[in-house]
Amino acid sequence: MENNELYNASSIEILEGLEAVRKRPGMYIGSTDTYGLHHLVWEIIDNSVDEALNGFGNKIYVTIHKDNSITIADEGRGIPCDVHKKSGLPAIQLILTTLHSGGKFNDNAYKSSGGLHGVGSSVTNALSEYMDVTVYRDGKIYNISFKNGGKLNQPLKIIGQSAKHGTSTTFKPDSKIFKTTDFSYERIYRHLQESAFLLKKVHFYLIDERDGKKDEFYYENGIKEYIEELAVGKKNLGDVVYFEDTVDNIKIEIALEYFYDDYIENIKSYVNNVRTIDGGTHEIGFKLGITRAVNDYIENNGLAKSKIKLEGSDIREGIIAIISVRIPENILEFEGQTKSKLGTQIAQTVINNYFYTKFSYFLNENKDFAVALVKKCQDSQMARLAARKAKEEARSKKKSIKEQIILSDKLTPAQSKDFKNNELFIVEGDSAGGTAKKGRDPRYQAILPLRGKPLNTDGLSIDKILQNQEFATIINTIGAGVGNNFDIEDIHYGKIIIMTDADTDGAHIQTLLLTFFYNNMRPLITEGHVFVAVPPLYRVHKTEKEKVIEKYCYNDNDLEEAKKFVGTGYSISRYKGLGEMSDKQLKYTTMDKEHRVLMKVSINDPLICANKINILMGDDASKRRKWLEEYIDFSERDNFIKELK
Ligand code: 0RA
């Protein structure tokens, strides 16, 4: 075949590949909302990170432009620009337009994009209005550009000479594909900061030309500093423990610290810089190693208090740990559909033995720490055994005391005993509680009014929380225990819906309740049972020929549309609180499954969330103000969902 025939043949194939991405973007980037939008950026950053990971370049720049295009630049080797023999096309063009596996062009030892949707920069190209790439390589500066989802706009050409090396990619996400094309500074900030923690000694720069914001991330000590950051404001047992080495080609980095005021274990693991939410062999190896090290230390030093060995969970109570491993591509295996669980078997043995040896040595060298840790673990074990006993007793009693269900005179229970389908509305104030009682569907909706602001429970022990009438009632009403005893199987409601006024007091009440759920009934949130009701802010209405035309509005945008919909002569009622609505209105707008809007509460990142709760609810007000100023963007509502039937 002639070169240009080849060119035509491969360009047809190429466009078909990219067309597939445009037809079903969700398959490649997860979604077309803000999550997917940012995924386009991660794909490019992954490549730059891969270069740095393999020792090429230590600076990565991300610049958000005014028109919502974005540039990612690195000082890596530069994308190869020579002609690919088989197709006659420049390698860079193939790399940016075919859905290749990375290995075809690049034999890096370590690759970061092993995780969820690791598909490469061609996908970003396919979903962009344009993409413009400049490469510094072999003493030259090259440029190539694409438009309308990866169609060649400007073929590769040499535009200058330079001794530098690296790649600079600018693209603009396609507004025909994405529901939003507005980049979020905070999201990119978090991603770059996390990358910087995981890739120590590499500089990351973030610039937002829309408002001039700038940040720089550089961590000499990597995940050790990550833990230090997460630990701010907490009562710790010893400093961060940190180990790093390469064993059997597996690079291991582990950092951990223990805390007294958190009863939950927080273990975060990564493989080749990609988060492994579902853990896998590296995490199991770590857990086995730490359990073995502590139990052996107890035995060797005669510290045992009972014949029963500590369980892993006793040893991990109050721990924050980060496990970051780099596994060469040839032995890298993931499990499950989302590839978020490491499957490489050898990693388990290697990390188990490595960590066991290092931590055992550390315990022997740091006696005060070791003794304090052993005591803490033994306390956890005792608390666990006592709680189990109490629960068993409570279970056997439960059957006999049916009346337990009638828990509080404040609760208006649902008639049905179909717990999964039942909904508990926790309502701000007795007066709104009264309206909700009238507006509810008594078959499956229960109402629990709150009097005033609930207690700030952050940092309080369960005993203290139980002394508080309001929370004791909430715990009993939900019916599934609290803290370590919480058992999601026992919940009496499929949905717990917080319903407050749409003002700052309401937001404060939400935060106080969510803090409590987060700290003491976390599965309720992680398994998607907690919601915040979104009441309307306005009602636009008029009566015409005895017919009421009306629209409820949840934001200012809605309001403008509603004015048009209702037409001239409209009146606007502004709802300052739930109490201003009639029971019928409250039912229609906020409680009824057909019309209401609920926000599902989710945790993007448990560690960051724990840290935020601490900052927001803890007793250091200056930290709180700094955080609020820096991060709060009330326009971003990722979790905002209209409930679908
Ligand atoms: C293919 C092969 C090589 C590097 C890259 C791609 C590469 C891609 C991107 C995307 C953004 N920055 C990048 N930097 C490099 C290896 C090149 C070689 O072996 O010299």
Side-chain angles (χ1 to χ4, degrees):
M1 260 194 275
E2 289 290 312
N3 242 358
N4 57 351
E5 274 177 50
L6 251 173
Y7 183 98
N8 290 337
S10 17
S11 46
I12 289 165
E13 231 174 85
I14 285 167
L15 288 176
E16 278 174 357
L18 296 192
E19 208 38 56
V21 178
R22 289 177 68 82
K23 270 208 187 104
R24 307 187 65 186
M27 290 245 313
Y28 298 87
I29 54 165
S31 70
T32 55
D33 57 12
T34 182
Y35 173 90
L37 177 79
H38 288 84
H39 208 88
L40 302 184
V41 185
W42 314 154
E43 286 297 344
I44 308 292
I45 294 178
D46 269 358
N47 288 307
S48 302
V49 164
D50 276 349
E51 289 295 292
L53 196 62
N54 286 281
F56 304 104
N58 66 349
K59 292 189 182 68
I60 294 172
Y61 302 84
V62 177
T63 310
I64 309 168
H65 304 296
K66 280 212 165 84
D67 66 347
N68 257 313
S69 63
I70 189 163
T71 300
I72 295 100
D74 63 52
E75 300 185 348
R77 287 166 295 183
I79 305 181
C81 292
D82 48 337
V83 171
H84 177 249
K85 285 234 177 61
K86 230 172 111 192
S87 64
L89 292 173
I92 184 168
Q93 188 176 340
L94 290 172
I95 288 170
L96 296 175
T97 55
T98 53
L99 301 172
H100 59 278
S101 60
K104 197 161 148 191
F105 298 98
N106 192 325
D107 51 6
N108 282 338
Y110 300 103
K111 255 195 70 54
S112 67
S113 22
L116 203 58
H117 334 293
V119 280
S121 29
S122 53
V123 168
T124 301
N125 196 9
L127 300 173
S128 291
E129 268 170 47
Y130 65 80
M131 180 185 262
D132 186 296
V133 183
T134 302
V135 171
Y136 300 80
R137 195 180 157 103
D138 308 326
K140 300 187 187 77
I141 310 175
Y142 299 89
N143 179 265
I144 187 168
S145 70
F146 305 86
K147 64 178 178 191
N148 301 332
K151 297 193 178 73
L152 190 62
N153 177 41
Q154 165 66 59
L156 185 69
K157 64 172 181 192
I158 296 172
I159 57 166
Q161 312 245 310
S162 170
K164 288 200 293 192
H165 49 89
T167 305
S168 172
T169 307
T170 301
F171 69 90
K172 186 172 195 298
D174 195 334
S175 55
K176 293 196 287 296
I177 303 261
F178 290 95
K179 291 186 191 124
T180 165
T181 54
D182 212 12
F183 285 121
S184 150
Y185 190 84
E186 195 196 342
R187 246 173 214 269
I188 300 176
Y189 177 106
R190 286 202 309 253
H191 189 93
L192 291 186
Q193 187 180 40
E194 183 176 51
S195 304
F197 279 127
L198 292 166
L199 206 59
K200 60 182 176 190
K201 299 184 172 55
V202 173
H203 299 263
F204 288 81
Y205 303 91
L206 174 58
I207 299 164
D208 192 339
E209 291 178 346
R210 296 171 302 188
D211 60 5
K213 239 188 268 171
K214 262 187 207 177
D215 276 288
E216 187 181 335
F217 309 99
Y218 175 80
Y219 301 104
E220 190 86 32
N221 299 306
I223 57 171
K224 182 163 182 264
E225 286 178 67
Y226 199 170
I227 300 244
E228 281 163 3
E229 174 122 331
L230 294 168
V232 175
K234 292 179 172 238
K235 195 165 157 243
N236 59 337
L237 194 178
D239 293 333
V240 183
V241 180
Y242 175 75
F243 305 122
E244 181 198 11
D245 212 336
T246 303
V247 183
D248 290 351
N249 287 327
I250 297 179
K251 275 198 195 171
I252 308 168
E253 249 187 289
I254 296 173
L256 65 90
E257 190 166 4
Y258 275 96
F259 299 94
Y260 282 110
D261 44 9
D262 198 342
Y263 295 95
I264 294 196
E265 62 176 78
N266 270 317
I267 297 179
K268 216 173 177 186
S269 64
Y270 296 84
V271 173
N272 300 356
N273 283 14
V274 178
R275 179 80 194 277
T276 33
I277 305 251
D278 298 317
T281 48
H282 54 333
E283 231 180 271
I284 297 171
F286 166 75
K287 289 181 180 173
L288 292 171
I290 195 166
T291 306
R292 205 151 53 97
V294 175
N295 271 321
D296 282 7
Y297 184 85
I298 291 174
E299 196 171 321
N300 296 339
N301 294 278
L303 294 171
K305 275 199 183 155
S306 87
K307 284 206 186 85
I308 314 167
K309 273 200 175 181
L310 298 183
E311 273 186 14
S313 66
D314 303 326
I315 293 167
R316 296 191 303 271
E317 200 173 283
I319 199 173
I320 292 186
I322 296 175
I323 302 155
S324 171
V325 298
R326 304 233 166 103
I327 303 207
E329 258 210 295
N330 61 340
I331 58 163
L332 188 58
E333 279 171 41
F334 287 99
E335 277 175 22
Q337 275 221 314
T338 53
K339 287 180 150 192
S340 47
K341 188 172 182 185
L342 182 67
T344 306
Q345 269 312 316
I346 186 78
Q348 183 167 318
T349 324
V350 165
I351 292 158
N352 179 351
N353 290 336
Y354 170 76
F355 187 75
Y356 169 76
T357 311
K358 288 299 240 190
F359 200 56
S360 296
Y361 184 79
F362 181 86
L363 293 175
N364 283 317
E365 292 289 298
N366 296 276
K367 191 157 183 278
D368 290 350
F369 171 82
V371 169
L373 177 60
V374 167
K375 174 160 187 325
K376 183 180 188 311
C377 298
Q378 286 171 336
D379 287 350
S380 305
Q381 182 194 35
M382 268 166 34
R384 176 174 58 79
L385 295 175
R388 188 198 287 166
K389 208 171 143 213
K391 192 166 176 181
E392 274 160 11
E393 282 170 7
R395 274 241 165 98
S396 55
K397 263 193 217 155
K398 207 168 174 179
K399 286 202 187 88
S400 56
I401 319 174
K402 267 264 161 60
E403 305 82 273
Q404 259 195 354
I405 303 288
I406 307 159
L407 299 143
S408 152
D409 51 352
K410 282 208 245 158
L411 175 76
T412 308
Q415 289 160 356
S416 158
K417 292 282 172 278
D418 175 9
F419 292 157
K420 266 204 203 92
N421 201 31
N422 281 356
E423 301 180 341
L424 175 66
F425 282 83
I426 304 181
V427 185
E428 173 181 357
D430 277 336
S431 116
T435 318
K437 226 152 103 177
K438 287 194 217 128
R440 74 187 177 127
D441 184 328
R443 285 170 302 178
Y444 67 94
Q445 292 182 325
I447 308 295
L448 182 65
L450 288 180
R451 229 163 264 151
K453 289 262 171 82
L455 179 73
N456 180 5
T457 53
D458 194 46
L460 294 189
S461 68
I462 307 261
D463 292 351
K464 280 264 149 54
I465 296 174
L466 281 167
Q467 282 167 24
N468 177 268
Q469 187 63 49
E470 217 86 49
F471 278 106
T473 305
I474 291 174
I475 295 164
N476 280 322
T477 303
I478 292 172
V482 65
N484 278 340
N485 274 329
F486 181 76
D487 189 343
I488 193 85
E489 298 291 316
D490 293 343
I491 54 174
H492 285 183
Y493 302 89
K495 285 195 173 77
I496 315 276
I497 301 169
I498 302 172
M499 187 159 74
T500 68
D501 293 344
D503 58 12
T504 49
D505 275 349
H508 191 204
I509 292 172
Q510 287 167 17
T511 317
L512 291 161
L513 290 172
L514 292 177
T515 299
F516 166 75
F517 290 136
Y518 180 83
N519 285 331
N520 304 294
M521 296 187 178
R522 192 166 305 173
L524 213 52
I525 299 183
T526 52
E527 299 193 14
H529 296 283
V530 182
F531 296 81
V532 173
V534 184
L537 297 177
Y538 310 100
R539 174 171 169 256
V540 181
H541 55 100
K542 75 173 173 199
T543 311
E544 214 172 60
K545 295 181 200 132
E546 286 170 33
K547 238 182 77 194
V548 179
I549 308 173
E550 61 175 7
K551 251 208 153 39
Y552 291 94
C553 316
Y554 296 85
N555 56 42
D556 290 346
N557 233 352
D558 282 359
L559 181 62
E560 290 315 310
E561 282 180 19
K563 285 181 193 165
K564 284 187 208 134
F565 175 84
V566 176
T568 44
Y570 59 77
S571 323
I572 301 178
S573 328
R574 192 190 138 87
Y575 296 121
K576 293 209 195 67
L578 300 169
E580 293 182 10
M581 276 184 263
S582 70
D583 53 317
K584 290 209 174 63
Q585 288 171 334
L586 187 66
K587 179 190 185 75
Y588 180 84
T589 60
T590 319
M591 300 181 72
D592 185 69
K593 273 188 181 168
E594 291 280 344
H595 304 102
R596 71 188 179 190
V597 178
L598 294 183
M599 267 195 293
K600 187 181 203 156
V601 177
S602 68
I603 305 174
N604 279 340
D605 183 321
L607 277 188
I608 288 173
C609 193
N611 194 33
K612 272 187 197 167
I613 291 231
N614 192 271
I615 289 174
L616 292 175
M617 306 307 295
D619 36 24
D620 186 343
S622 69
K623 239 191 293 164
R624 177 154 50 238
R625 200 180 56 232
K626 185 168 173 292
W627 190 89
L628 287 170
E629 280 169 1
E630 205 160 310
Y631 290 115
I632 288 294
D633 172 3
F634 289 99
S635 65
E636 201 181 333
R637 301 176 76 178
D638 284 337
N639 297 327
F640 189 89
I641 54 157
K642 173 96 178 84
E643 213 190 16
L644 296 173
K645 278 260 304 185

